[in-house]
Amino acid sequence: MTSATVTGKPDEPVVATRNYLTEGGVTLRSWLLTRDHKRIAILYTLSITVFFFVGGAAATLIRLNLVTPSGIFTPDIYNRLFTLHGIVMVWFFLIPSIPNTMGNFLIPLMIGAKDLAFPRLNLLSWYLYVGAGLLALFAILIGGVDTGWTFYTPFSSLYSNGYVVLALAAVLAVGFSSILTGLNFIVTTHRMRAPGMTWYRLPVFVWSNYATSVIMVLATPVLAITLILVAAERLLKVGIFDPALGGDPLLFQHLFWFYSHPAVYIMILPGFGVISEIVPCFARKPLFGYKFVVWSSIAISVIGFFVWAHHMFVAGISLYAGLVFSLLSYVIAVPSAIKVFNWTATLHKGWISFDAPMLYALGFIGLFTIGGLTGLFVANLAFDVHVTDTYFVVAHFHYIMVGGMVSAYFGGLHYWWPKVTGRLYPEWWARIAALLIFFGFNLTFFPQFILGYLGMERRYYSYPPEFQAWNILSSAGASVLAAGYALPFFYLGWSLFRGKRAGSNPWAATGLEWQTSSPPPTHNFDRMPTVTRPPYQYRPEPEPQDV
Amino acid sequence: MGSLQLLPPTASAHAADMDWLFAALLGTSAFILLLVFGLMILFCVRYRKNSKVERGNRLGRTWRVEVAWTTATFIAFLGLYFWGAELYVDIHSPPKDATDIYVVGKQWMWKIEHPGGQREIDTLHVPVGRPVRLVLTSEDVIHDFAIPAFRIRQDALPGRYETLWFTPTEVGDYRLFCAEFCGTWHARMGGSVVVMQPSDFQRWLDSQDPGPSLAQEGEALFRSYGCSGCHGGAGTVRAPRLEGLFGRPVPLEDGRTVIADDRYIRDSILMPKAEIAAGYPPVMPSFAGQIGEDDLLKLVAYIKSLADGTAGTSQAGSVERPAQ
């Protein structure tokens, strides 16, 4: 892809002759040893795409199995499939998705810096990610793991006969990759902003990634500790979680969710950032309530640490713990609602156009709102007692993680594609894909809310026949969704070679990343930019390009 | 392949309450969804790029709007919270006259023991209209006893007793699932809850071959494990008498007071040093690893029966009665 993007035809205008894809060479070695945040972002993008398709393949097989009530695969294969799907999608796609690709590429550009604060650490983070990913794939290939991505004890520590310790090691390693990225972003945001780039002039994308990074740095070590304890119990029979050895199985759940609930916000906050960039650009209006959007992200990252036991309302926690954690879960729903209201208000009296990134953003708002509102259902004590561990919960978190985060990821991918590659994608195909994803997603996951209320449990390879009709609908939706996700792979790939040259600012967007050429030069800016205005100063008439 | 069913059967008093809560959650969500989607669609159409509509007088002081919608959202959320919390407290407060049925989960079956000694696997027979309290535990990994028709479920943990209660209101067969992933045959670890008319239920109980009741078996174990040596009152070691104990507060050596419930009895057998009754030397050995969950349940049932002299069908309401 590298050489083709820079050999423009002579009749095409605005070719950045000097850019990060050519400077420093185009050899494999120059890529694998690069310290340029933009090249590392490309490496990350390629690797998470591989894992997205691995996790997606498992999801496809899961939906295939559930077409019939008796299942197609054996239970052992099915249990390995959903474990693989969960581990790969959570740790090897969702958590690194926006921060490590777009965050890596854009944060220095958005704040007017030459690179991240620690370029070598950034490369190390990618190598840790790849090493961990290969380890996870190895564990899967030699026999797999059947614990679910949640590794609940004492099943994972003493009863499961899968390759649990290998999987734990892979997750542990990828956790360090998260920590390094988080650290890098925090220091970069504090120390490397261009003159005039005050905190309240930062794009919301930077704020969101900052809030995400704080969670990564504070929560991930707890995961590391927990996984090591599980491995210690499994390998050395040290009694920590299994009551037969004198341990406490609920201790694991407290520790695991102390990481994994904040991790939900690691997965969604960067998405909020992307949407907050796209909506003002295509509504040609400043973001409504900038400070409220910013501080709601910070509020989410703080309160997010105090809601973990809402995963445990039927697990045997005390009545009072249940009452407190449910209340806090309702509290954290407020800042999320604030964001939705602000995005909607941004549309008011705007000059709205519906290019592909905007379609993804509007789809995000719709799906995230449904996901957020059903969050109120599962945060509700009595309601959760009926639906926890059913497909209601599965549908709820897929609305947030897939309907929300993956839509935001695709929205961002389209929005910044011209900046990253210097090429435009075919708009018509991009809109088709956005619509396919939206409708396919709803057809896949909406029936699962109903299935969950009916009592269909998670992680069942077979189920009572009265649930089949909704399952068939869901599986039909999954095939539409799969087509929607495969489509960008082709037209974006095509645009790398044949796409129209983008110019530096095809959307007439504000933001420093649009002030430099596309693709940007290795050092991002020819002259250090100076910032004099707040972000999102959009006006109805598109500003002339490339001045 | 079944039709597109929307609601599960409603077979308990709590299930009916839960469906109202569901309706309230749905109503609130529908209102917010219609508001957000309605405004989004309205704005997208009205303020599309090519429309000539007037766009002057944009909202100025945004913080007023922000405070208004933040407060409104929070108040609506609080209402839902309290509603759900009240029902949650309710399903954690079993009535005093509930019948105790013991449930032990193990990979991959549910073993159920009625107070009269009747046993069943993967099927639970209960009478309609009478409160039932399940005492749940597990022999291996975490399981979860889920009855969608009653809208309740509870994890069964190894090494702990958890409880779950319900009053069935409709006769019929309802699905029973294991809801916590527990290994290969997780999806097949279930069966049914059979709700019967009380007279039919009594006939069913009589038709089973009960053998001794749980409490009677517990009494035999009480002797065979040597408990009676000290707790029987005849021995040389001074140990707490167990008659009339169950359900009463026990003052502990460290100044705390606990209620002598299923958990306290079980923990005192397995970890006697953890909660020492005030005034007694801590000399009892631990029976951890020597008594299985089945036998523990029987011992608990026996000690429970000592409180009121019955065969362990019910303990509560009887704590005021003098010990035998």
Side-chain angles (χ1 to χ4, degrees), chain A residues 291-349:
Chain A
K291 286 188 184 175
F292 282 85
V293 176
V294 163
W295 283 101
S296 63
S297 290
I298 303 295
I300 286 172
S301 70
V302 174
I303 307 170
F305 278 99
F306 302 101
V307 298
W308 76 87
H310 68 203
H311 294 268
M312 302 164 61
F313 288 154
V314 303
I317 59 172
S318 82
L319 184 62
Y320 304 103
L323 292 172
V324 171
F325 279 102
S326 172
L327 181 62
L328 287 167
S329 307
Y330 272 92
V331 170
I332 201 170
V334 175
S336 298
I338 290 176
K339 285 177 188 287
V340 170
F341 295 147
N342 277 297
W343 293 321
T344 308
T346 304
L347 298 174
H348 183 238
K349 299 195 174 175

Side-chain angles (χ1 to χ4, degrees), chain A residues 323 342 350 352 385 453 460, chain B residues 19 49 55 66 81 153 178:
Chain A
L323 292 172
N342 277 297
I352 305 165
V385 169
Y453 199 77
Y460 266 33
Chain B
D19 285 351
K49 191 168 66 183
R55 289 171 170 94
E66 301 279 355
Y81 163 75
R153 58 187 57 208
C178 174

Side-chain angles (χ1 to χ4, degrees), chain A residues 111-130:
Chain A
I111 67 174
K114 284 182 180 172
D115 204 318
L116 288 172
F118 307 116
R120 284 190 176 84
L121 221 50
N122 198 16
L123 185 64
L124 175 61
S125 162
W126 181 72
Y127 274 104
L128 277 171
Y129 171 87
V130 171

Side-chain angles (χ1 to χ4, degrees), chain B residues 88-157:
Chain B
Y88 185 70
V89 171
D90 190 51
I91 55 175
H92 282 82
S93 317
K96 302 275 183 206
D97 59 342
T99 306
D100 282 358
I101 296 177
Y102 295 90
V103 179
V104 179
K106 64 175 288 191
Q107 287 177 328
W108 289 276
M109 63 165 88
W110 293 106
K111 293 196 291 184
I112 291 155
E113 305 201 25
H114 291 263
Q118 294 86 351
R119 287 173 184 74
E120 38 187 344
I121 286 179
D122 290 343
T123 307
L124 169 64
H125 286 79
V126 288
V128 71
R130 307 236 175 106
V132 170
R133 190 178 79 127
L134 302 180
V135 178
L136 302 161
T137 189
S138 162
E139 279 187 12
D140 37 49
V141 301
I142 299 175
H143 302 281
D144 185 291
F145 199 85
I147 315 166
F150 298 164
R151 313 283 188 273
I152 49 169
R153 58 187 57 208
Q154 172 64 49
D155 282 9
L157 295 159

Side-chain angles (χ1 to χ4, degrees), chain A residues 69-70 75-76 79 82-83 146-148 152-155 159 242-243 248-250 253 284-286 288-290 292 312-319 322-324 326-327 330-331 333-334 337-338 340-342 344-345 347-355 362-363 365-367 369-370 373-374 376-377 379-390 392 450 452-462 464-470 472-473 538 540, chain B residues 1-9 14-15 18-19 21-22 25-26 28-30 32-33 35-37 39-40 43-45 47-51 53-60 62-63 65-67 69-70 73-74 76-78 80-89 91-93 107-108 139-142 144 146-160 162 164 175-190:
Chain A
S70 53
D76 279 329
N79 296 343
F82 70 69
T83 305
D146 67 344
T147 58
Y152 267 25
T153 56
F155 181 73
Y159 289 85
D242 185 8
D248 178 0
L250 278 193
Q253 294 178 31
R284 310 305 307 167
K285 251 191 78 191
F288 191 89
Y290 169 87
F292 282 85
M312 302 164 61
F313 288 154
V314 303
I317 59 172
S318 82
L319 184 62
L323 292 172
V324 171
S326 172
L327 181 62
Y330 272 92
V331 170
V334 175
I338 290 176
V340 170
F341 295 147
N342 277 297
T344 308
L347 298 174
H348 183 238
K349 299 195 174 175
W351 280 261
I352 305 165
S353 55
F354 300 96
D355 301 272
L362 293 173
I365 299 174
L367 300 178
T369 305
I370 295 175
L373 285 171
T374 50
L376 298 179
F377 290 55
N380 189 291
L381 287 161
F383 194 85
D384 191 60
V385 169
H386 174 48
V387 299
T388 189
D389 285 316
T390 69
F392 194 95
I450 297 160
Y453 199 77
L454 289 173
M456 171 140 175
E457 311 298 333
R458 289 172 79 171
R459 299 172 171 179
Y460 266 33
Y461 82 99
S462 73
E466 64 263 29
F467 298 151
Q468 191 182 10
W470 290 114
I472 287 179
L473 266 187
Y538 283 104
Chain B
M1 88 185 203
S3 57
L4 295 174
Q5 184 191 358
L6 285 173
L7 287 175
H14 173 71
M18 253 292 300
D19 285 351
L21 174 65
F22 186 34
L25 283 160
L26 276 181
T28 313
S29 304
I32 298 176
L33 269 190
L35 188 75
V36 170
F37 288 8
L39 286 175
M40 267 176 64
F43 293 163
C44 282
V45 173
Y47 301 115
R48 65 191 184 279
K49 191 168 66 183
N50 299 324
S51 95
V53 74
E54 171 59 40
R55 289 171 170 94
N57 285 327
R58 277 187 192 161
L59 280 172
T62 61
W63 66 270
V65 188
E66 301 279 355
V67 170
W69 66 40
T70 306
T73 318
F74 188 61
F77 288 1
L78 268 190
L80 293 170
Y81 163 75
F82 279 113
W83 190 339
E86 194 201 346
L87 277 181
Y88 185 70
V89 171
I91 55 175
H92 282 82
S93 317
Q107 287 177 328
W108 289 276
E139 279 187 12
D140 37 49
V141 301
I142 299 175
D144 185 291
I147 315 166
F150 298 164
R151 313 283 188 273
I152 49 169
R153 58 187 57 208
Q154 172 64 49
D155 282 9
L157 295 159
R160 291 250 290 248
E162 296 295 333
L164 185 64
R175 294 222 181 255
L176 161 67
F177 297 110
C178 174
E180 188 64 67
F181 181 69
C182 58
T184 307
W185 295 103
H186 166 58
R188 293 289 170 87
M189 183 173 165

Side-chain angles (χ1 to χ4, degrees), chain A residues 186-412:
Chain A
I186 290 172
V187 176
T188 306
T189 311
H190 274 274
R191 303 295 304 161
M192 302 190 57
R193 285 170 286 128
M197 180 56 92
T198 61
W199 282 89
Y200 282 138
R201 285 179 184 165
L202 284 176
V204 172
F205 182 82
V206 178
W207 273 106
S208 304
N209 275 284
Y210 180 81
T212 308
S213 302
V214 170
I215 305 176
M216 283 175 168
V217 170
L218 293 181
T220 317
V222 179
L223 175 71
I225 293 165
T226 315
L227 298 178
I228 290 170
L229 291 176
V230 174
E233 182 162 287
R234 193 172 167 87
L235 293 175
L236 310 172
K237 305 284 177 273
V238 183
I240 299 160
F241 303 122
D242 185 8
L245 300 174
D248 178 0
L250 278 193
L251 176 63
F252 172 83
Q253 294 178 31
H254 281 294
L255 291 171
F256 181 79
W257 290 115
F258 186 83
Y259 162 80
S260 289
H261 198 78
V264 170
Y265 298 107
I266 294 178
M267 295 181 239
I268 193 68
L269 280 169
F272 294 158
V274 169
I275 301 308
S276 303
E277 300 301 313
I278 294 176
V279 170
C281 177
F282 292 93
R284 310 305 307 167
K285 251 191 78 191
L287 182 66
F288 191 89
Y290 169 87
K291 286 188 184 175
F292 282 85
V293 176
V294 163
W295 283 101
S296 63
S297 290
I298 303 295
I300 286 172
S301 70
V302 174
I303 307 170
F305 278 99
F306 302 101
V307 298
W308 76 87
H310 68 203
H311 294 268
M312 302 164 61
F313 288 154
V314 303
I317 59 172
S318 82
L319 184 62
Y320 304 103
L323 292 172
V324 171
F325 279 102
S326 172
L327 181 62
L328 287 167
S329 307
Y330 272 92
V331 170
I332 201 170
V334 175
S336 298
I338 290 176
K339 285 177 188 287
V340 170
F341 295 147
N342 277 297
W343 293 321
T344 308
T346 304
L347 298 174
H348 183 238
K349 299 195 174 175
W351 280 261
I352 305 165
S353 55
F354 300 96
D355 301 272
M358 187 62 162
L359 292 184
Y360 280 108
L362 293 173
F364 170 98
I365 299 174
L367 300 178
F368 174 74
T369 305
I370 295 175
L373 285 171
T374 50
L376 298 179
F377 290 55
V378 291
N380 189 291
L381 287 161
F383 194 85
D384 191 60
V385 169
H386 174 48
V387 299
T388 189
D389 285 316
T390 69
Y391 267 79
F392 194 95
V393 171
V394 174
H396 158 67
F397 70 72
H398 280 87
Y399 263 83
I400 304 278
M401 308 281 76
V402 184
M405 186 64 162
V406 180
S407 293
Y409 177 75
F410 275 91

